[in-house]
Amino acid sequence: CEYKLDANESPWDLPEKIKIELSQLIMEGFNANRYPDSNAIELRKDIAQYCDVGPENILVGSGSDELIHIITNAFIGKGDAVLCPTPSFGMYKIFTKISGGIPVEIPLDENYNYQIDLILEAVKNHKPKLIFLCTPNNPTGNSMPTSDIMRILDSFSGIVVIDEAYTEFANESMAKNILDYSNGIVLRTFSKAMGLAGLRIGYSVCNKELASQLYRVKPPYNINTFSQKAASICLKNLDIIHQRILYIKEQRENLMALLNQIDGVQTYPTEANFILIRVADGDKVFNALLERGILVRNFSDHPMLKNCLRITVGDEKANNALYKVLKEVVSLI
Ligand code: PMP
């Protein structure tokens, strides 16, 4: 299909300047024959600087997916309850189950806001080992206020994982404040705002003691040499990355305004690089978009996301195409 707006990726390949730096590195001696640095020392230093924390607070994973797995492996055993928001990112439940745990779904309210009272009640009733929070939440786009996150961190003694995969498109982050807590882990990724989804790099930010518990279950060579270097080079070219983030945020507002003009499309507020919409018949609209070359993500079969589609914000051309086609399709159905 011509427009791929289904996976919340960046619309662009690596910037030319970063490609050139990477190819120089390969030509000058890349040591592909050697194992990668199992501690990713250089990359962790660069990430630490980006997040204004210390390298000892950073652990790097093959995507934040792997970090979710590392976390459930480290802390979840057979029969342990894990609170998972719903609707949210599906891997929390999957990795909880793989580790032998029992996911307890905590529903968001009808506007997809977190219900903090339900979370605190479930803490009492289920005595979970761990709570996943996702902010901005995938696939709904809304953020959880920092004050609510802190309330949970303060009133729960187990582990709280705050997945900030889309944080660069949002206004608040817990990455620095998390070090004030003994039980909080922030997850981040290079897959979204940094545009490196294909290179598989995510990281966690937490205090040193928690990090050392995660280290115990981390596979030694989980990030290859190329990915470590590419991520470091990205962080040394933050001006280019920041321009791209700014562009996507502007496009998000433009696309939101366009979508709000279409009769039969309901939008939900977002702080991420995607917009959740509700239409009269999600399956039909999804298929009609696909037939016209536009792939979005269909959540119609999720009980809390009936007739909902998630659209990744693309470049101007893609967003305009989506708007035109969606407007036509919705009027036909
Ligand atoms: N968390 C959230 C909320 C996501 O949406 C995604 C990707 N869809 C991930 C984690 C995993 O991303 P990655 O493994 O590429 O870092």
Side-chain angles (χ1 to χ4, degrees):
C1 63
E2 198 179 346
Y3 297 108
K4 189 177 181 307
L5 303 177
D6 66 320
N8 303 338
E9 296 148 327
S10 164
W12 308 285
D13 193 1
L14 281 174
E16 191 77 9
K17 180 161 180 273
I18 295 180
K19 278 188 180 168
I20 292 169
E21 283 184 45
L22 263 176
S23 28
Q24 275 167 356
L25 206 103
I26 292 172
M27 296 313 289
E28 281 162 13
F30 181 51
N31 295 336
N33 55 319
R34 304 296 179 198
Y35 282 100
D37 175 4
S38 61
N39 291 320
I41 287 177
E42 285 307 315
L43 176 56
R44 281 172 48 237
K45 269 192 212 157
D46 293 335
I47 294 173
Q49 199 182 355
Y50 175 62
C51 295
D52 196 17
V53 297
E56 70 280 6
N57 304 120
I58 304 290
L59 190 111
V60 202
S62 177
S64 38
D65 272 347
E66 190 194 34
L67 285 162
I68 299 170
H69 197 186
I70 288 174
I71 289 169
T72 57
N73 270 342
F75 298 114
I76 303 307
K78 202 164 180 299
D80 288 338
V82 175
L83 302 192
C84 302
T86 184
S88 190
F89 186 48
M91 297 313 290
Y92 310 140
K93 281 194 283 179
I94 292 172
F95 284 129
T96 294
K97 286 185 196 160
I98 291 173
S99 296
I102 301 166
V104 177
E105 292 189 303
I106 310 296
L108 306 183
D109 73 12
E110 67 277 13
N111 298 315
Y112 301 130
N113 291 313
Y114 278 91
Q115 308 193 73
I116 183 154
D117 292 339
L118 280 193
I119 296 175
L120 297 177
E121 200 180 299
V123 165
K124 273 197 212 125
N125 294 341
H126 296 276
K127 309 212 168 2
K129 273 270 173 67
L130 189 147
I131 301 176
F132 281 107
L133 302 172
C134 182
T135 180
N137 187 44
N138 177 15
T140 56
N142 57 305
S143 291
M144 184 179 210
T146 302
S147 53
D148 284 354
I149 298 173
M150 289 178 173
R151 223 178 115 196
I152 293 171
L153 281 161
D154 281 328
S155 54
F156 174 59
S157 57
I159 306 289
V160 182
V161 177
I162 302 135
D163 186 342
E164 293 191 350
Y166 301 94
T167 192
E168 282 91 347
F169 304 106
N171 300 320
E172 289 186 313
S173 166
M174 284 290 294
K176 194 167 161 53
N177 292 345
I178 202 68
L179 301 188
D180 297 337
Y181 296 91
S182 60
N183 59 335
I185 304 173
V186 167
L187 293 185
R188 298 253 194 112
T189 180
F190 280 76
S191 298
K192 310 296 177 185
M194 301 283 178
L196 297 187
L199 301 189
R200 313 304 303 127
I201 311 143
Y203 56 97
S204 59
V205 189
C206 61
N207 72 56
K208 210 172 143 187
E209 289 68 34
L210 272 185
S212 66
Q213 293 189 56
L214 297 178
Y215 258 98
R216 279 197 226 135
V217 291
K218 181 187 94 67
Y221 301 119
N222 58 334
I223 314 288
N224 67 66
T225 306
F226 185 83
S227 295
Q228 291 189 29
K229 300 279 188 204
S232 277
I233 293 176
C234 262
L235 291 175
K236 289 182 176 117
N237 287 280
L238 276 179
D239 50 334
I240 309 177
I241 305 289
H242 281 148
Q243 272 173 27
R244 289 182 161 194
I245 294 168
L246 207 65
Y247 177 94
I248 292 293
K249 286 168 80 173
E250 278 169 17
Q251 283 299 316
R252 175 180 71 196
E253 304 317 313
N254 292 349
L255 180 59
M256 182 64 93
L258 290 174
L259 294 174
N260 283 333
Q261 287 172 20
I262 308 177
D263 275 342
V265 171
Q266 181 193 353
T267 60
Y268 289 90
T270 179
E271 289 197 44
N273 65 336
F274 55 81
I275 300 175
L276 187 76
I277 65 166
R278 175 168 273 137
V279 293
D281 189 325
D283 288 335
K284 275 195 187 154
V285 172
F286 172 80
N287 287 323
L289 288 174
L290 197 54
E291 278 164 21
R292 291 159 179 81
I294 299 180
L295 178 63
V296 299
R297 180 75 190 271
N298 185 6
F299 283 100
S300 289
D301 60 357
H302 189 294
M304 289 182 69
L305 295 166
K306 287 254 156 61
N307 296 314
C308 284
L309 306 175
R310 190 194 64 198
I311 302 164
T312 304
V313 177
D315 62 14
E316 193 174 5
K317 184 165 170 253
N319 299 334
N320 286 338
L322 179 271
Y323 165 68
K324 250 182 75 190
V325 173
L326 182 66
K327 192 174 166 172
E328 179 203 331
V329 161
V330 167
S331 72
L332 293 175
I333 285 167

